[in-house]
Amino acid sequence: MKKIAILGSTGSIGTQTLDVVRENGDIEVVSLAAGSNTELLEKQVREFHPKVVCVYQKERAADLKERLKDKTVKIVTGMDGLIEAACIPEAEIVVTAVVGMIGIRPTIAAIEAGKDIALANKETLVTAGHLIIPLAKEKGIRILPVDSEHSAIFQSLQGNAGNKIQKILLTASGGPFRGKKQEDLLNVKVEDALKHPNWSMGRKITIDSSTMINKGLEVIEAKWLFDVSVDEIQVVVQPQSVIHSMVEYEDGSVIAQLGTPDMKLPIQYALYYPERRYLPGDRLDFWSLSHLDFEKPDLDTFYGLALAYEAGREGGSMPTVLNAANELAVSMFLDRQITYLEIVEIIEDCMKAHKKIENPSLEQILMTEQETYERIRSRR
Ligand SMILES: NC(=O)C1=CN([C@@H]2O[C@H](COP(=O)(O)OP(=O)(O)OC[C@H]3O[C@@H](n4cnc5c(N)ncnc54)[C@H](OP(=O)(O)O)[C@@H]3O)[C@@H](O)[C@H]2O)C=CC1
Ligand SMILES: CC(=O)[C@@H](O)[C@H](O)COP(=O)(O)O
Ligand SMILES: [Mn+2]
């Protein structure tokens, strides 16, 4: 039995990971972690019987203890608890499906403890890729991509070890506002931005897709995962989200991975790599799929993507500023404290004001995060 830990088990990726576990029947879940959703954590503990369960918010721990008083499960909380869930000795693979750069410390701790990482939590690699990738190499652990595009690239690289990549073609749906101009986005409501055309996902990433900041984060994520520069990554809008990404080799061959938009595929591929298993669900039907479209991204309207390229080129602490500013701005937009267009305005303002640190330590990354939050809060 393969043994896994799931950080972010109550979210979109976390629950789909548990679907994959349930459908296969040969994976043991040894720890679970979430932020505050004790109701769902209780159900998950009763179904999957982990040894450790973490609820990050300390004020929710008493509720979880009460709910699980008849069960023999260790209940932990806070950052120490999240790290304990990530480092549980039994786990071979840690699925990092928490949202945001809160994932940095447990991911680093899990790598140090020798765990393979099935990585969905892109914000961790965006902000701390320069620490995580060398550490993973040093410890000889695998970082298996879960993000659909990165899984597609990883799949397109199979059997091509040693061959030079000419470029990575990172596909984007274009989000719900594809084809719109800045002036069309003045009055965007939260509900409009949460309508992703193809994927059902958590709220934060869905907003990120609508601004195309998600694609910007993915460019930086791909830079770290595949050891390329951001300028070797070309974003291609593919509105149907059927081509999940592609790799162009130096002989001009382009290898792609295609499929229906279903995150269970990359999750299962990461958990069983290099094995492919049967996955129930819809299949692509090329007789009814009449056409596929391709477009160049509109970097004037979606200039957050251009800012992400800039942050990726600059490196150092700049991607942390991009990411932290986005995390706070998106949560403020979701709380209806700022307008839609202010999300990217805030990111640009924070990046302009930041004095870059070349090779930031973990402490400097977390300090930069706090400084970015303080700058945004002092705007009001
Ligand atoms: N959803 C998708 O299809 C895809 C997601 N990703 C990436 O995967 C990650 C997760 O996304 P998604 O599943 O959509 O997000 P969700 O918002 O659906 O889920 C987030 C999860 O993280 C937990 N969480 C939040 N804060 C903490 C904390 N401080 N400590 C522990 N757990 C915490 C939440 O717990 P609680 O429920 O208690 O708040 C929840 O389980 C993101 O980085 C996203 O970019 C990448 C590709 C596709
Ligand atoms: C499913 C997944 O991996 C998301 O990151 C998805 O790619 C979002 O879609 P867009 O950012 O392309 O709109
Ligand atoms: Mn993606």
Side-chain angles (χ1 to χ4, degrees):
M1 281 273 239
K2 204 179 276 265
K3 293 185 172 65
I4 67 167
I6 308 175
L7 311 183
S9 64
T10 55
S12 163
I13 294 292
T15 52
Q16 292 180 87
T17 303
L18 288 170
D19 291 342
V20 169
V21 169
R22 193 181 292 112
E23 278 152 21
N24 281 282
D26 60 353
I27 292 179
E28 187 183 337
V29 178
V30 291
S31 69
L32 294 171
S36 61
N37 188 346
T38 50
E39 191 181 340
L40 186 49
L41 271 179
E42 179 194 351
K43 287 194 185 122
Q44 293 179 342
V45 168
R46 292 191 184 283
E47 179 176 358
F48 294 98
H49 314 290
K51 294 181 187 341
V52 169
V53 59
C54 170
V55 59
Y56 185 85
Q57 284 187 13
K58 295 204 159 123
E59 53 280 17
R60 304 294 296 149
D63 177 60
L64 190 61
K65 279 186 184 141
E66 178 59 26
R67 287 171 179 276
L68 292 170
K69 62 183 177 212
D70 60 315
K71 293 281 298 174
T72 46
V73 56
K74 183 172 181 194
I75 297 172
V76 294
T77 188
M79 183 50 77
D80 289 347
L82 194 52
I83 291 174
E84 186 169 344
C87 296
I88 181 167
E90 292 85 347
E92 298 150 60
I93 302 183
V94 178
V95 180
T96 60
V98 294
V99 59
M101 54 190 292
I102 190 85
I104 299 177
R105 290 184 55 200
T107 305
I108 289 179
I111 297 171
E112 274 168 347
K115 318 290 186 196
D116 284 337
I117 306 292
L119 185 132
N121 175 225
K122 65 190 83 181
E123 296 90 347
T124 280
L125 217 47
V126 167
T127 52
H130 62 292
L131 302 178
I132 285 172
I133 297 298
L135 183 65
K137 282 203 182 113
E138 181 196 322
K139 298 283 172 188
I141 69 103
R142 298 186 295 195
I143 299 195
L144 301 153
V146 168
D147 205 344
S148 64
E149 296 77 2
H150 305 74
S151 175
I153 295 161
F154 185 58
Q155 293 180 56
S156 302
L157 290 169
Q158 299 304 312
N160 278 295
N163 285 319
K164 190 175 173 299
I165 298 174
Q166 195 68 37
K167 69 164 99 123
I168 284 176
L169 298 146
L170 187 74
T171 53
S173 74
F177 306 130
R178 183 173 62 87
K180 303 273 189 222
K181 296 288 166 204
Q182 282 263 327
E183 57 271 24
D184 303 324
L185 303 178
L186 280 167
N187 298 314
V188 164
K189 294 198 204 58
V190 170
E191 295 70 22
D192 305 324
L194 284 174
K195 281 186 198 134
H196 195 280
N198 306 324
W199 297 94
S200 163
M201 310 181 286
R203 282 156 63 88
K204 190 259 178 187
I205 186 178
T206 306
I207 302 296
D208 289 351
S209 293
S210 78
T211 56
M212 293 195 78
I213 287 285
N214 182 49
K215 217 43 58 182
L217 298 177
E218 292 185 350
V219 167
I220 302 173
E221 183 186 10
K223 159 185 141 145
W224 288 116
L225 282 172
F226 306 113
D227 194 19
V228 292
S229 72
V230 294
D231 294 306
E232 291 169 302
I233 303 168
Q234 183 180 1
V235 172
V236 179
V237 177
Q238 204 291 288
Q240 293 86 7
S241 297
V242 162
I243 303 184
H244 297 309
S245 279
M246 310 178 254
V247 176
E248 183 185 314
Y249 290 91
E250 63 180 341
D251 62 357
S253 251
V254 176
I255 311 243
Q257 187 260 337
L258 285 69
T260 56
D262 179 357
M263 281 308 293
K264 289 210 271 293
L265 195 158
I267 292 168
Q268 179 169 286
Y269 190 70
L271 291 180
Y272 288 102
Y273 173 79
E275 185 187 347
R276 281 189 190 275
R277 289 223 170 163
Y278 176 72
L279 181 70
D282 294 340
R283 299 292 189 256
L284 285 179
D285 176 358
F286 286 89
W287 282 353
S288 61
L289 190 74
S290 57
H291 64 283
L292 289 175
D293 299 307
F294 302 95
E295 294 167 12
K296 189 176 171 181
D298 171 0
L299 292 184
D300 294 325
T301 304
F302 301 100
Y303 70 102
L305 177 55
L307 291 174
Y309 267 98
E310 199 181 308
R313 262 178 224 119
E314 282 217 32
S317 53
M318 201 53 92
T320 294
V321 176
L322 169 97
N323 180 76
N326 182 57
E327 285 193 27
L328 184 54
V330 168
S331 86
M332 289 166 86
F333 172 67
L334 286 168
D335 289 342
R336 297 170 208 270
Q337 293 171 27
I338 59 167
T339 65
Y340 182 72
L341 291 178
E342 279 182 288
I343 298 174
V344 180
E345 283 168 25
I346 285 173
I347 298 172
E348 186 176 32
D349 169 67
C350 291
M351 283 176 61
K352 273 193 181 145
H354 182 63
K355 203 160 169 301
K356 187 178 78 172
I357 305 167
E358 252 339 308
N359 187 22
S361 63
L362 175 57
E363 291 66 34
Q364 287 170 317
I365 292 168
L366 300 177
M367 190 189 68
T368 301
E369 177 191 26
Q370 289 313 316
E371 285 172 1
T372 306
Y373 293 163
E374 276 158 30
R375 179 173 179 85
I376 298 170
R377 290 191 178 114
S378 70
R379 279 168 52 107
R380 310 201 60 81

